[in-house]
Amino acid sequence: MDCVFCKIINGDIPSTKVYEDDEILAFRDIEPAAPTHILVIPKRHIASAAEIKPEDGALIGHIFAKIADIARLEGIEDAFRVVSNCGRDAGQTVFHLHFHVVGGRELSKWA
Ligand code: AMP
Ligand code: ZN
């Protein structure tokens, strides 16, 4: 499958890893929108948030618990944003589920 994030998971494309376990990977965004900009992804290919099923609940919970850990490690736990763009017209460019964790600068309500 021609998926850039699957290639990162497989080690075919390099990344700056922040956290990894059997289920998920967190790495720094190559075009950061803020001083901290980390992507958290499941290792299993899910195309977008629109594809999440009830049986993915434990995985998604695990991702969000790790996002909280990562925010603490990055020192942004008091002010950060978690975003998942879903669909091309919403700005999704990589069709492997990912959560942007953005912080380290002032974040206005929607920008
Ligand atoms: P989105 O546009 O919401 O689908 O988010 C995809 C994100 O992946 C963008 O912020 C890109 O900068 C980022 N990205 C694309 N390729 C890479 C890569 N090889 N390593 C790290 N981040 C990447
Ligand atoms: Zn993938």
Side-chain angles (χ1 to χ4, degrees):
M1 195 192 303
D2 195 28
C3 170
V4 62
F5 288 175
C6 282
K7 287 178 182 167
I8 285 175
I9 290 161
N10 292 334
D12 297 333
I13 293 177
S15 68
T16 306
K17 290 179 188 174
V18 173
Y19 175 80
E20 181 171 21
D21 63 29
D22 289 347
E23 302 289 324
I24 71 175
L25 176 65
F27 55 100
R28 296 197 188 275
D29 197 293
I30 204 167
E31 282 184 55
T36 293
H37 187 167
I38 290 166
L39 301 172
V40 186
I41 68 174
K43 289 193 169 176
R44 181 161 57 83
H45 183 94
I46 298 171
S48 79
E51 304 296 321
I52 295 171
K53 303 283 188 293
E55 52 268 33
D56 300 321
L59 173 63
I60 301 301
H62 179 51
I63 285 174
F64 272 81
K66 284 299 162 192
I67 286 173
D69 285 345
I70 289 166
R72 277 188 289 274
L73 286 168
E74 293 284 314
I76 59 167
E77 68 273 21
D78 291 334
F80 66 102
R81 182 167 294 153
V82 183
V83 172
S84 189
N85 298 319
C86 184
R88 211 172 295 277
D89 287 347
Q92 187 177 6
T93 59
V94 177
F95 290 81
H96 181 130
L97 178 64
H98 53 283
F99 296 92
H100 297 259
V101 180
V102 176
R105 67 164 166 83
E106 198 174 313
L107 297 166
S108 62
K109 182 91 181 174
W110 291 115

